[in-house]
Amino acid sequence: MQNNSGLQLGILGTHLGFLDALVPDENGLLPRNADGEFVVAAGARDLIELSPVPIDLIQVSAFGGTRPEDTDELLTKLRSLGLEPQLVMMVGGVNPMDPADEDEAVAQLLVHLEAAKRNQVVEVNSTSVETWMEGSPPTNEEEFQARVAQNIKLHHRAYEEAGLADSCIKFWNIEFLRPGEFQNFTSLAKLRPILTGLNERVGHPYFRALVDAAHCGDSGLNIPENEAIIAALGEADEIGPFHCSVPTTRGCLSSDDGWVGALLAANARTGKLKSAFVELFRHDDPALAPLRQLVPGHGVDTTLGRTYTEVMVDGLIDTTRRLNNLKTRGLI
């Protein structure tokens, strides 16, 4: 099966479990299997072997405290499998919207950015505008705008201190999360002012939106509202990667109720989409227990007897067919 769309097809490692595959231990060591292989690398190899369509990219969650040697070794291993890696940079224990936490937040981002530069990573991604499942919503528009301004200041400072203008990193893609996971930047509409402000400072569209169908579907905006914002992002050249991911359940793409297909097409119509990633979570991932408690319907098992590797392969097949049809219809 061939991907004829001209877009790159990617995966994440979240279906392997955050604690089992992605989060380092107290010594900064990334999880390995009984054979001494990184769980993420072994899982990626399993997908490559089982998938009938070639996989081009992988996004790897980057957590603070990871030993630099493990990060370097993992990225080298993924490249040896024929995958081009990207980092998804996490910040923890700090509030990116609080000026008092600015120094520490920048320091965490610089660790990830230096790792990306050290390993010749071309694109980085982040959920760095807010802390996961903490904080409170703004009480008024003035407070919201202050939080936007602080995020612009913080991320531009990281851009400058990391020397990104003259680096191998060509784009920084920022992702918003659903209400509850985030309290402030919970939709494309709320994220966009940060991108606009950052790109005005940089002087060109370096910062882009990572559009995730799941988060769009859970954001409170309907499909036409999201399509309109995506079109505007396309006009501003602020379209980053697209996540084929399912609202609420975060499981098999067949449970998306139309969101993946509609928003993948909307991104394609902009002419700016370069890549699409299949992302799903384990319904019983211990790290996501707080999300299951928060969101009715999250954590439903949509595997229907398949392994999570098999569900990912089904997602890769489905996404490739969608991309090929978008190409055939002239939307790509």
Side-chain angles (χ1 to χ4, degrees):
M1 185 177 183
Q2 294 300 313
N3 173 10
N4 302 316
S5 67
L7 273 63
Q8 292 184 298
L9 184 65
I11 57 173
L12 290 88
T14 52
H15 68 287
L16 300 167
F18 279 95
L19 299 181
D20 289 341
L22 300 170
V23 179
D25 66 14
E26 64 276 7
N27 298 313
L29 300 175
L30 292 172
R32 296 178 186 255
N33 61 22
D35 295 324
E37 296 179 287
F38 290 115
V39 174
V40 171
R45 187 188 62 245
D46 291 343
L47 278 175
I48 291 168
E49 292 175 352
L50 192 60
S51 173
V53 60
I55 306 169
D56 306 301
L57 305 169
I58 183 168
Q59 290 182 342
V60 181
S61 302
F63 290 92
T66 305
R67 291 176 71 247
E69 296 85 355
D70 268 30
T71 299
D72 297 349
E73 184 183 346
L74 174 59
L75 297 183
T76 299
K77 178 60 178 178
L78 292 172
R79 280 206 173 100
S80 75
L81 296 173
L83 300 173
E84 183 61 29
Q86 300 179 6
L87 296 184
V88 182
M89 305 183 295
M90 310 290 184
V91 296
V94 293
N95 180 1
M97 300 174 292
D98 186 349
D101 284 356
E102 180 180 318
D103 288 347
E104 176 58 28
V106 170
Q108 291 189 29
L109 287 170
L110 287 177
V111 169
H112 299 316
L113 293 169
E114 291 302 325
K117 289 166 56 181
R118 194 169 60 245
N119 288 278
Q120 295 299 303
V121 172
V122 177
E123 293 192 35
V124 295
N125 312 272
S126 71
T127 57
S128 53
V129 294
E130 195 165 342
T131 306
W132 189 61
M133 296 193 74
E134 293 184 15
S136 58
T139 57
N140 53 49
E141 181 63 19
E142 182 180 1
E143 187 173 11
F144 177 77
Q145 291 302 329
R147 294 175 179 184
V148 169
Q150 179 60 26
N151 260 302
I152 292 170
K153 181 174 183 286
L154 184 154
H155 287 80
H156 184 256
R157 180 179 161 189
Y159 171 90
E160 290 285 335
E161 293 187 17
L164 297 188
D166 300 315
S167 76
C168 60
I169 303 171
K170 302 307 178 186
F171 298 106
W172 183 338
N173 312 303
I174 299 179
E175 181 180 16
F176 76 90
L177 303 186
R178 61 161 295 144
E181 291 187 84
F182 279 179
Q183 306 296 328
N184 296 263
F185 304 106
T186 55
S187 71
L188 273 179
K190 293 178 179 178
L191 174 67
R192 194 178 178 200
I194 296 176
L195 302 177
T196 300
L198 280 167
N199 288 329
E200 286 175 352
R201 287 202 180 190
V202 172
H204 64 99
Y206 186 88
F207 291 87
R208 308 182 305 176
L210 194 167
V211 181
D212 182 299
H215 298 315
C216 289
D218 288 325
S219 71
L221 301 181
N222 60 31
I223 287 177
E225 289 169 329
N226 277 285
E227 289 173 327
I229 299 169
I230 289 167
L233 288 168
E235 291 177 4
D237 203 10
E238 292 175 347
I239 291 289
F242 180 74
H243 277 183
C244 299
S245 191
V246 177
T248 305
T249 70
R250 306 308 303 274
C252 178
L253 298 193
S254 62
S255 63
D256 79 321
D257 297 329
W259 279 90
V260 170
L263 296 195
L264 180 59
N267 277 267
R269 280 194 294 268
T270 68
K272 304 297 176 61
L273 182 65
K274 303 301 181 186
S275 59
F277 291 78
V278 177
E279 180 189 39
L280 58 90
F281 294 158
R282 301 186 70 92
H283 69 280
D284 56 355
D285 190 335
L288 300 178
L291 190 55
R292 291 193 291 275
Q293 296 169 5
L294 175 73
V295 181
H298 186 79
V300 172
D301 184 355
T302 59
T303 60
L304 300 177
R306 295 165 293 175
T307 67
Y308 272 97
T309 297
E310 290 169 337
V311 178
M312 282 291 292
V313 169
D314 285 347
L316 289 164
I317 293 170
D318 175 82
T319 300
T320 301
R321 288 180 174 145
R322 291 181 186 275
L323 291 174
N324 286 345
N325 278 312
L326 290 169
K327 177 69 173 180
T328 300
R329 292 159 53 204
L331 275 74
I332 295 177

